[in-house]
Amino acid sequence: MLRQTNPPINAFPRLRRAGNAGVGISEGGDGMRVLDREAVAEALPWSDLIEALRRVFATGCAAPLRHRHAAGEGNTLLLMPAWDSRCTGVKIVHVAPGNASRGLPAVHAEYLLSDAATGAPIALLDGGELTDRRTAATSVLAA
């Protein structure tokens, strides 16, 4: 059975290559890439994503249970860390049910990918798109 985790996405060299900033990708002053929904989809083509997840599920990575914290006003903060020898990653999810009255989504998610050896940030990705794509690719592998 496949374990559904948020593995470090170090298998995606497009995120580590310098000089491929484009629509939806911005470069932070420290070289960290920031990828919006569209840029995440472009950086993670289905065939590459499915193959990378196949490798991670075969070799494994550390992925402890998610942390859940009350964050005031009925909000919840979820932290989902994972790491291997090359990268660390953490999906950060804010659940704010009161956002409906503000005209905002109830859930906001981001994924921070960092270099395991140095801790230097590599990319900040839209967590919703990353999760949607990972879930679909995992379903393909489980079929």
Side-chain angles (χ1 to χ4, degrees), residues 56-115:
V56 168
F57 289 139
T59 61
C61 72
L65 294 175
R66 74 179 178 195
H67 302 239
R68 182 181 187 279
H69 304 277
E73 308 269 338
N75 296 345
T76 302
L77 172 64
L78 303 172
L79 303 171
M80 292 160 256
W83 59 90
D84 65 13
S85 62
R86 295 181 294 171
C87 291
T88 65
V90 63
K91 182 172 157 186
I92 304 162
V93 180
H94 291 90
V95 182
N99 276 356
S101 65
R102 298 178 183 99
L104 297 170
V107 178
H108 292 276
E110 301 297 330
Y111 190 91
L112 176 63
L113 179 68
S114 299
D115 182 277

Side-chain angles (χ1 to χ4, degrees), residues 14-81:
R14 293 174 190 207
L15 294 179
R16 297 191 75 125
R17 255 189 306 213
N20 70 338
V23 175
I25 301 175
S26 60
E27 297 281 348
D30 57 4
M32 181 176 71
R33 303 168 118 18
V34 179
L35 286 77
D36 67 10
R37 219 173 160 76
E38 293 77 23
V40 168
E42 185 178 319
L44 303 176
W46 290 111
S47 60
D48 291 355
L49 177 59
I50 291 167
E51 197 48 45
L53 286 173
R54 182 186 323 274
R55 285 191 305 272
V56 168
F57 289 139
T59 61
C61 72
L65 294 175
R66 74 179 178 195
H67 302 239
R68 182 181 187 279
H69 304 277
E73 308 269 338
N75 296 345
T76 302
L77 172 64
L78 303 172
L79 303 171
M80 292 160 256

